[in-house]
């Protein structure tokens, strides 16, 4: 598959480097080709449209930490349901925030609180497939929390994060394309 995509990239005029030092410029690591490759990754918890009985307006995100699901309210009694990873014991939270910023293939700088717990973490990681924030991130208010992709799809449906809401890269791209800055996010236990 990579050789086919590499040939396609070359015919499109996109340089493909196999040198480790140039991995940041590798189109398989981030950007449109990486987004395309994520489409084919198997989902442990498939995304689906479900009945929605809540009173939330269309365009609202509702996260159920106990169900470990995120709902994007469509209106007309429907919502898109995604499997997510949530905060582990001692790191879960509930409340209301709004999306204040969106980024594609974001860089990651662990917050000071995380570095205090895990001094072995890098101080900076460029965006890409190995980055813990994955393909997209939606920043929640002035908090340290985000709804973001993950390079660990096996953690969907688990309580594993430091409070962020994790999604597969395939699902976070779908949600990112639906969400606007200002979207209301409700997190419930």
């Amino acid at each position: 598959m990579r050789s086919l995509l590499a040939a396609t990239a070359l015919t499109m005029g996109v340089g493909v480097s196999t040198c480790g030092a140039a991995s940041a410029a590798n189109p398989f690591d981030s950007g449109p080709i990486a987004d395309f490759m994520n489409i084919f990754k198997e989902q442990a918890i498939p995304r689906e449209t479900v009945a929605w009985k809540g009173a939330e307006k269309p365009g609202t995100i509702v996260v159920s930490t106990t169900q470990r699901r995120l709902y994007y309210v469509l209106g007309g009694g429907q919502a898109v349901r995604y499997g997510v990873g949530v905060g582990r014991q001692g790191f879960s939270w509930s409340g209301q925030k709004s999306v204040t910023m969106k980024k594609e293939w974001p860089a990651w700088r662990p917050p000071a609180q995380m570095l205090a717990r895990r001094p072995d973490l890098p101080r900076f990681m460029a965006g890409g497939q190995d980055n813990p924030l994955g393909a997209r991130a939606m920043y929640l208010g002035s908090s340290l929390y985000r709804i973001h992709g993950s390079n660990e799809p096996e953690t969907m449906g688990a309580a594993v994060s430091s409070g962020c809401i994790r999604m597969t890269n395939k699902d976070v791209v779908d949600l990112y394309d639906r969400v606007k800055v200002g979207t209301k996010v409700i997190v419930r236990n």
Side-chain angles (χ1 to χ4, degrees):
M1 176 86 156
R2 279 188 181 249
S3 59
L4 174 62
L5 290 172
T8 303
L10 289 173
T11 60
M12 293 171 32
V14 176
V16 178
S17 172
T18 57
C19 175
S23 65
N26 183 341
F28 296 109
D29 194 44
S30 65
I33 294 174
D35 287 343
F36 177 75
M37 289 173 54
N38 281 325
I39 291 170
F40 299 101
K41 292 188 177 172
E42 193 171 320
Q43 298 285 100
I45 303 171
R47 169 184 356 131
E48 60 186 328
T49 301
V50 298
W52 183 256
K53 296 178 184 174
E56 293 79 13
K57 293 180 181 178
T60 302
I61 294 172
V62 179
V63 178
S64 170
T65 58
T66 54
Q67 293 177 0
R68 299 183 181 141
R69 299 294 187 269
L70 181 150
Y71 298 87
Y72 179 78
V73 179
L74 297 172
Q78 293 189 314
V80 180
R81 180 174 62 192
Y82 305 86
V84 296
V86 298
R88 63 185 181 273
Q89 188 172 4
F91 291 89
S92 64
W93 60 280
S94 60
Q96 185 173 308
K97 303 278 184 200
S98 63
V99 173
T100 53
M101 183 171 45
K102 296 170 49 176
K103 290 192 177 182
E104 296 185 14
W105 295 102
W108 181 58
R109 287 180 173 81
Q113 301 89 325
M114 187 178 285
L115 288 171
R117 291 188 312 272
R118 296 269 321 271
D120 60 308
L121 292 173
R123 299 313 186 249
F124 173 83
M125 281 187 79
Q129 295 284 359
D130 294 330
N131 185 306
L133 296 182
R136 305 287 187 274
M138 290 157 272
Y139 296 76
L140 302 180
S142 59
S143 73
L144 296 174
Y145 301 125
R146 295 172 288 273
I147 298 170
H148 64 79
S150 176
N151 59 5
E152 299 176 313
E154 68 278 4
T155 64
M156 297 310 114
V160 294
S161 78
S162 293
C164 287
I165 309 302
R166 294 179 177 190
M167 304 178 77
T168 63
N169 282 332
K170 183 177 180 179
D171 280 348
V172 81
V173 168
D174 181 79
L175 181 66
Y176 184 95
D177 289 344
R178 297 172 188 269
V179 168
K180 296 180 171 95
V181 169
T183 294
K184 183 192 291 187
V185 178
I186 302 167
V187 178
R188 299 178 177 145
N189 289 329

